Amino acid sequence: MADVKVRELVKVYGRQLAVRGIDLDIPDGAFVVLVGPSGCGKSTTLRMIAGLENISHGELLINGKRANDLPSRDRGVAMVFQTYALYPHLTVKENLAFSLKLAKVDPADMDRRIDGAIEALELQPYLDRRPFELSGGQRQRVAMGRAIVREPDVFLFDEPLSNLDAKLRNQMRVEIKRLQHRLGVTTIYVTHDQIEAMTLADVIVVMKDGEIAQQGTPLEVFESPANKFVASFIGSPQINFFDGVIKQNGENFAFVTPEITIPLDAASYGGALTDGQRVTGGLRPEDIIPQGHGMKPDGEISIRGEITLTELLGNESLLFARCGSVDFVARMQQPRIVADGENLRFHIAGSRLHLFDADTEVSLRTT
Amino acid sequence: MAFDISTLDLDAIERREAAKHKGSTLKLFAAIGFALLWIVPFYFLAISIFKSSNEYSRNPPLALPEGIAPLWDNVTRAWELGSMGQAMMNSAFYGTVGASLAVFFAAMAAFAITRLDIPFRNGWFMLIFAGTVFPFQMYLIPLFFGYQKLGLLNSHMGMLLFYTAICVPFPTLVLRNFMSGLSREMDEAARMDGANEFTVFFRIILPNTIGPMTAVFLLQFTWIWNDMLFSTVLGNRLETRSIMNALLVFQGSYSSIGPNIVLTAALLASLPSIVLFFLLRRHFMQGLQVQQS
């Protein structure tokens, strides 16, 4: 059990800044997911916490103690690697026992811990197999078992599911979550997959270019993205962006593009709106609702779009449509077959519009 | 009408597929021709060891032997004339100990070059590998005088020292390439599991490098076993000379003895490395392919 604090964490390779001063406060037992595109510094951050990379600047505190210069083995952290990194020449049981043997754990305690991991991860049938005789999912479980037996204060996961096929990935995702719930160990998890981030995290930390773009609960990050990058990165399919301007008419403000006008509640923007201001509006596909499919939102805003492509997903469809010069994606509940070129009316949930400054790309919403 | 899979003529399909893979008869005969050409020297060896000196000079060289009885006599004469017992022991010592040490040192060097954070990694590697770039004959004279000064000439230790040193570069090249293919996350995992560098080397990297280590051990053993040049120059006494050096006697003072004895001696001399190869062939073949789970 431990809390982890990171202050001004920086990683420099040569003259290249990979991580640019990150602050994190991870309370005991939390599940924190670092998410971002490749090269955003999330893995480097994790590896600095693990002790696999030197910390160029800043401070790492585990349980209030400075851990910058502690070797990995003394930090109380255990890691699950993307490639599982099992020891190929050892059996499953020997893989699990490796760290305990090195630590000279007494045999009775060793057996207790190994048996616990075996039971938790259902590894019983594979104990005498070597890693190459296991499937991807089984190897993944052994890698997790190897971390569990150490009874660490902090679990670190480095893209642990990216080598699995889609079905297994979903299954393992649930298993990881369940395991963390049961063990209650502080967990830091790195992924580039925003669905993993949304489903696993207590707190999501979205990273970009070595910096934190936003951190918050999954809902906060999804509902109130702090900037255009976070809005585009979280959510699938991606949010739709429309370039437009703010028009003021007396007390009333509206977001205006050639295709659409959406009235705005000025209070939500804390007086940040000015007439003629260039902004980018963001609407998620589920907030653009084909007429007759799903609940009609408040307000009478709608646009017409010509369908260019349909993706059938079974329980819903994604409609790719074009209105004037803009392309957008809408989600269709209770789908029907839609032909390319068909002209549809879409209702817009105007209250769910996200507005970003066109230049700084920072969200204009204050509430 | 629906296709009924049970009506399929699998035999016909197999015949058709086989026909596609069959080469022409011409190619087959050409291959047989080359193969025969290739084994003529072995044939000469195989028949000569069964002939007595008298029989060898009486009949044409490629004629079949009259019986197999002279073999034993040939073996004992070759063994005694060449003092092959002593020479075999010497070579076995140089070969096994020298090649083992060399492969072990090479593994340590490869580990340092591929895994440790040391300055000038490539420089170190080039320095070690430079040992194979120059012709070995270049070292001969400096080594001779150096050994003379240090009193290493004609000593087992001196021979072992040389063979170990000369056998380090090539295994280093092979093991470096192999080890750089081993997952780095594996040693990172071991470090997080509490291993220090020595533990990583001995308990994680070495056990996963057995295949290529066996392969280079065999190659280096064979090189040492077959070396004549350095043995002749640095260890020419009866007590220290190697098996290949021992064969030289058949060329000098006993050159009047027949090729049947010489060939028997040569065959005896090459048997141990062949046997060793057969014993370790599984590891050798595995070692040639980088395999990772």
Side-chain angles (χ1 to χ4, degrees):
Chain A
M1 303 294 120
D3 58 307
V4 178
K5 285 192 174 62
V6 161
R7 296 276 167 268
E8 295 178 5
L9 205 64
V10 171
K11 181 68 194 177
V12 186
Y13 291 112
R15 311 286 303 169
Q16 202 81 9
L17 280 163
V19 176
R20 299 160 170 261
I22 280 186
D23 292 306
L24 288 174
D25 258 309
I26 303 172
D28 184 21
F31 199 123
V32 173
V33 175
L34 307 183
V35 65
S38 46
C40 72
K42 57 189 190 300
S43 275
T44 311
T45 304
L46 190 79
R47 291 170 60 82
M48 281 193 281
I49 296 172
L52 297 172
E53 300 278 352
N54 290 326
I55 294 172
S56 309
H57 168 87
E59 202 171 36
L60 167 68
L61 301 168
I62 299 178
N63 254 340
K65 274 200 315 226
R66 190 182 147 91
N68 283 40
D69 303 315
L70 285 179
S72 297
R73 56 178 179 273
D74 298 331
R75 292 189 184 192
V77 297
M79 185 147 157
V80 176
F81 292 86
Q82 181 175 359
T83 59
Y84 320 131
L86 300 178
Y87 312 126
H89 60 298
L90 301 180
T91 63
V92 167
K93 190 156 188 187
E94 288 165 337
N95 264 282
L96 296 178
F98 186 77
S99 64
L100 303 179
K101 279 186 186 154
L102 289 184
K104 302 204 168 62
V105 170
D106 109 303
D109 194 24
M110 192 183 317
D111 286 344
R112 179 188 61 78
R113 293 200 203 177
I114 293 176
D115 290 344
I118 290 169
E119 197 187 331
L121 296 161
E122 293 164 22
L123 291 172
Q124 195 62 46
Y126 320 113
L127 288 186
D128 296 320
R129 296 209 199 153
R130 301 273 176 86
F132 66 87
E133 297 168 296
L134 301 176
S135 71
Q138 290 160 352
R139 286 182 207 177
Q140 173 68 63
R141 283 215 283 277
V142 178
M144 276 162 45
R146 203 172 53 180
I148 290 173
V149 294
R150 292 187 53 208
E151 299 184 347
D153 294 328
V154 184
F155 275 135
L156 306 176
F157 288 88
D158 188 7
E159 309 228 6
L161 304 183
S162 48
N163 283 4
L164 299 177
D165 63 57
K167 194 175 159 201
L168 206 51
R169 199 179 303 162
N170 292 345
Q171 194 183 324
M172 290 306 295
R173 206 168 61 203
V174 176
E175 252 178 79
I176 289 177
K177 184 79 178 168
R178 199 170 282 153
L179 199 70
Q180 201 265 348
H181 268 302
R182 223 186 60 198
L183 300 174
V185 177
T186 313
T187 302
I188 309 176
Y189 186 107
V190 161
T191 181
H192 63 267
D193 182 305
Q194 53 97 16
I195 297 177
E196 267 172 47
M198 291 294 286
T199 51
L200 288 172
D202 298 328
V203 175
I204 289 187
V205 178
V206 185
M207 291 185 65
K208 188 199 179 198
D209 299 335
E211 287 171 339
I212 294 178
Q214 185 176 5
Q215 57 177 309
T217 65
L219 209 60
E220 279 166 8
V221 171
F222 185 78
E223 296 282 340
S224 322
N227 49 52
K228 200 175 154 189
F229 170 75
V230 174
S232 67
F233 192 78
I234 301 290
S236 172
Q238 204 186 313
I239 193 168
N240 298 291
F241 288 120
F242 305 92
D243 291 328
V245 290
I246 301 294
K247 284 270 164 65
Q248 186 173 9
N249 186 0
E251 289 291 291
N252 300 324
F253 290 88
F255 169 68
V256 178
T257 78
E259 295 81 18
I260 190 169
T261 298
I262 301 175
L264 300 170
D265 174 16
S268 303
Y269 298 91
L273 304 178
T274 52
D275 190 34
Q277 185 181 3
R278 282 176 41 250
V279 292
T280 304
L283 275 172
R284 297 209 181 269
E286 48 273 28
D287 299 326
I288 304 177
I289 302 147
Q291 188 165 36
H293 294 265
M295 286 246 281
K296 182 168 172 261
D298 295 340
E300 289 295 330
I301 316 155
S302 66
I303 52 173
R304 291 199 77 84
E306 186 188 318
I307 304 301
T308 56
L309 186 77
T310 312
E311 271 188 347
L312 278 167
L313 302 175
N315 58 337
E316 62 180 24
S317 286
L318 300 178
L319 305 184
F320 294 77
R322 165 167 278 253
C323 172
S325 63
V326 281
D327 290 297
F328 62 91
V329 188
R331 212 184 271 274
M332 181 188 238
Q333 308 291 339
Q334 298 140 9
R336 62 173 176 86
I337 302 290
V338 179
D340 288 358
E342 197 174 318
N343 216 301
L344 283 184
R345 176 163 293 283
F346 296 89
H347 296 293
I348 306 280
S351 60
R352 304 192 42 90
L353 177 74
H354 301 280
L355 276 189
F356 306 97
D357 186 287
D359 298 318
T360 65
E361 301 192 346
V362 173
S363 173
L364 297 173
R365 257 181 194 274
T366 50
T367 58
Chain B
M1 202 181 108
F3 169 59
D4 181 6
I5 192 84
S6 63
T7 60
L8 209 57
D9 185 354
L10 294 175
D11 293 330
I13 294 175
E14 192 181 345
R15 275 196 302 278
R16 267 205 313 277
E17 301 273 320
K20 275 183 199 156
H21 292 299
K22 213 158 66 187
S24 70
T25 337
L26 189 67
K27 276 187 203 157
L28 182 67
F29 277 110
I32 291 173
F34 278 114
L36 284 176
L37 203 61
W38 193 256
I39 59 175
V40 165
F42 292 97
Y43 169 74
F44 180 56
L45 176 118
I47 55 165
S48 298
I49 60 172
F50 294 109
K51 294 175 178 175
S52 66
S53 300
N54 191 350
E55 182 190 344
Y56 184 87
S57 50
R58 215 173 48 230
N59 295 335
L62 291 181
L64 282 170
E66 289 160 4
I68 59 165
L71 174 65
W72 183 244
D73 190 45
N74 287 346
V75 168
T76 43
R77 281 192 66 200
W79 192 264
E80 278 160 17
L81 286 176
S83 304
M84 288 179 75
Q86 168 84 50
M88 284 248 189
M89 290 308 288
N90 288 339
S91 278
F93 172 68
Y94 304 146
T96 48
V97 181
S100 304
L101 283 176
V103 171
F104 179 67
F105 290 142
M108 291 205 287
F111 178 75
I113 291 164
T114 54
R115 300 309 230 237
L116 300 184
D117 194 13
I118 49 170
F120 315 118
R121 289 159 185 253
N122 268 332
W124 289 112
F125 174 67
M126 294 310 269
L127 187 70
I128 297 169
F129 198 64
T132 59
V133 174
F134 303 105
F136 291 154
Q137 288 81 347
M138 247 178 59
Y139 308 128
L140 208 55
I141 291 172
L143 263 177
F144 179 78
F145 287 115
Y147 266 42
Q148 204 172 34
K149 274 219 172 81
L150 295 168
L152 288 170
L153 220 49
N154 292 313
S155 72
H156 285 105
M157 199 40 69
M159 297 300 288
L160 183 64
L161 204 62
F162 166 74
Y163 282 130
T164 304
I166 199 95
C167 286
V168 167
F170 178 69
T172 308
L173 170 75
V174 174
L175 297 179
R176 169 183 165 270
N177 290 351
F178 181 83
M179 283 186 195
S180 53
L182 288 177
S183 153
R184 269 176 180 279
E185 291 195 337
M186 189 172 71
D187 18 332
E188 288 177 345
R191 282 194 188 104
M192 296 201 67
D193 271 350
N196 57 27
E197 301 299 345
F198 280 98
T199 319
V200 173
F201 178 63
F202 282 107
R203 293 182 60 176
I204 302 295
I205 301 295
L206 274 196
N208 285 300
T209 315
I210 292 294
M213 282 174 72
T214 314
V216 285
F217 168 80
L218 270 176
L219 292 175
Q220 297 316 108
F221 175 88
T222 312
W223 191 89
I224 295 174
W225 188 269
N226 290 341
D227 168 66
M228 189 165 70
L229 181 66
F230 290 95
S231 165
T232 324
V233 176
L234 302 176
N236 207 16
R237 291 242 181 89
L238 193 59
E239 308 85 67
T240 55
R241 77 181 179 195
S242 71
I243 183 69
M244 291 303 149
N245 193 357
L247 289 185
L248 275 182
V249 299
F250 297 104
Q251 211 181 31
S253 40
Y254 298 101
S255 57
S256 57
I257 63 166
N260 54 330
I261 307 281
V262 179
L263 284 169
T264 308
L267 182 67
L268 284 175
S270 51
L271 276 181
S273 49
I274 295 171
V275 169
L276 194 67
F277 183 85
F278 269 96
L279 287 179
L280 298 176
R281 68 187 183 287
R282 196 171 56 89
H283 294 287
F284 183 74
M285 296 313 290
Q286 271 175 7
L288 296 179
Q289 36 186 278
V290 177
Q291 54 167 9
Q292 266 253 275
S293 75

